[in-house]
């Protein structure tokens, strides 16, 4: 869905964009294309000439969470809705995700996939319950491996570079104007794992991050 190969901007109509690029490539090789490229429904009798497999979900989640890619998060939510049946919309995906959280004992109000909408609501207690429940599931290692590592990579590469949290904590950041959040896991020297969630409203994010790092 990126606007250019260099990764700038986003496409409003990715299928039509891809069709136009295919048309350009064919024309450049002397293959005449009679009609103009457009997006439509694939005919039932069409033959598959080539296909590309999606990366596994473990990789998709990692390249979403490590850099905190909001666009990827939104598309994953739409895909979740599509997989559950019906159309892949944000609203349907949010209902599926919220239902999953409820089944793990962690109710939340979700309206999008990225968390950018201020209509999203959850308490630190509920998020800790969700993360704790995730630690008992088969996909825990893949999920935790997708989270930024304190002082090493992702959105935490320049935070907690010194002190006991360095490398021992993996957490997901969240930032809006006047809002800063950090939730995840820390491995104590004792061997125990701490689950935490810090949600701060009405704050300046830069100062809030410093306080979170000290905590």
């Amino acid at each position: 869905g990126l606007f250019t190969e260099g990764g700038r901007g986003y496409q409003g109509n990715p299928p039509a964009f891809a069709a136009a690029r295919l048309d350009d490539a064919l024309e450049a090789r002397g293959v005449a294309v009679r009609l103009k490229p457009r997006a439509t429904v694939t005919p039932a009798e069409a033959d598959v000439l080539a296909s590309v497999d999606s990366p596994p979900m473990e990789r998709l989640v990692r390249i979403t969470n490590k850099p905190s890619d909001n666009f990827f998060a939104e598309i994953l939510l739409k895909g979740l809705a599509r997989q559950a049946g019906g159309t892949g919309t944000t609203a349907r995906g949010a209902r599926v995700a919220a239902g999953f959280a409820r089944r793990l004992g962690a109710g939340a109000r979700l309206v999008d996939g990225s968390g950018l909408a201020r209509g999203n609501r959850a308490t630190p207690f509920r998020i800790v319950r969700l993360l704790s429940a995730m630690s008992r599931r088969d996909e825990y290692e893949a999920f935790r491996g997708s989270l930024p590592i304190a002082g090493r990579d992702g959105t935490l590469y320049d935070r907690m570079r010194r002190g006991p949290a360095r490398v021992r904590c993996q957490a997901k950041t969240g930032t809006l104007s006047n809002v800063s959040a950090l939730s995840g896991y820390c491995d104590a020297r004792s061997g125990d794992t701490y689950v935490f969630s810090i949600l701060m409203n009405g704050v300046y994010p830069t100062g809030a991050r410093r306080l979170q790092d000290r905590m």
Side-chain angles (χ1 to χ4, degrees), residues 5 15 24 26 46 54 61 77 90 108 144 147 151 154 165 175 188-189 205 208:
E5 292 182 1
D24 292 342
L26 291 172
S54 168
V61 172
L77 191 78
T90 296
R144 180 163 175 175
L147 300 176
T175 307
R189 292 191 177 101

Side-chain angles (χ1 to χ4, degrees), residues 4-215:
T4 67
E5 292 182 1
R8 294 188 300 276
Y10 296 106
Q11 279 297 320
N13 191 336
F17 179 77
R21 298 293 73 73
L22 175 61
D23 182 79
D24 292 342
L26 291 172
E27 294 282 2
R29 287 161 177 78
V31 179
V33 181
R34 183 169 55 86
L35 301 177
K36 290 185 178 181
R38 61 192 176 95
T40 184
V41 178
T42 304
E45 67 276 11
D47 296 322
V48 176
L49 301 180
S51 64
V52 178
D53 291 332
S54 168
M57 183 56 67
E58 179 175 356
R59 169 131 179 87
L60 291 176
V61 172
R62 181 182 293 262
I63 60 180
T64 299
N65 284 340
K66 288 283 188 183
S68 195
D69 192 308
N70 294 315
F71 182 70
F72 268 44
E74 294 290 353
I75 296 303
L76 284 176
L77 191 78
K78 292 174 183 286
L80 187 64
R82 182 69 180 87
Q83 187 179 42
T87 55
T89 65
T90 296
R92 286 179 57 86
R95 287 195 294 271
V96 174
F100 174 78
R102 281 195 302 272
R103 291 193 294 276
L104 296 187
R109 181 171 183 264
L110 302 177
V111 297
D112 67 7
S114 64
L116 290 175
R118 295 182 184 271
N120 294 294
R121 290 284 189 274
T123 64
F125 177 76
R126 295 292 185 182
I127 291 178
V128 166
R129 290 193 66 169
L130 176 66
L131 294 174
S132 297
M134 286 297 296
S135 72
R136 298 186 291 272
R137 294 178 62 87
D138 292 341
E139 62 269 23
Y140 169 66
E141 292 300 328
F143 169 65
R144 180 163 175 175
S146 76
L147 300 176
I149 302 172
R152 177 175 288 180
D153 65 13
T155 52
L156 294 182
Y157 83 96
D158 60 348
R159 295 176 57 178
M160 295 170 276
R161 286 186 166 179
R162 296 179 179 83
R166 182 179 179 274
V167 181
R168 293 179 176 272
C169 293
Q170 288 178 265
K172 182 68 187 70
T173 56
T175 307
L176 298 173
S177 58
N178 305 317
V179 176
S180 182
L182 188 69
S183 304
Y185 307 91
C186 284
D187 294 326
R189 292 191 177 101
S190 64
D192 294 326
T193 297
Y194 293 106
V195 184
F196 69 93
S197 179
I198 307 170
L199 309 183
M200 304 172 72
N201 297 301
V203 295
Y204 184 59
T206 300
R209 292 183 195 118
R210 286 197 292 265
L211 181 57
Q212 293 162 11
D213 294 352
R214 289 170 55 199
M215 294 171 68

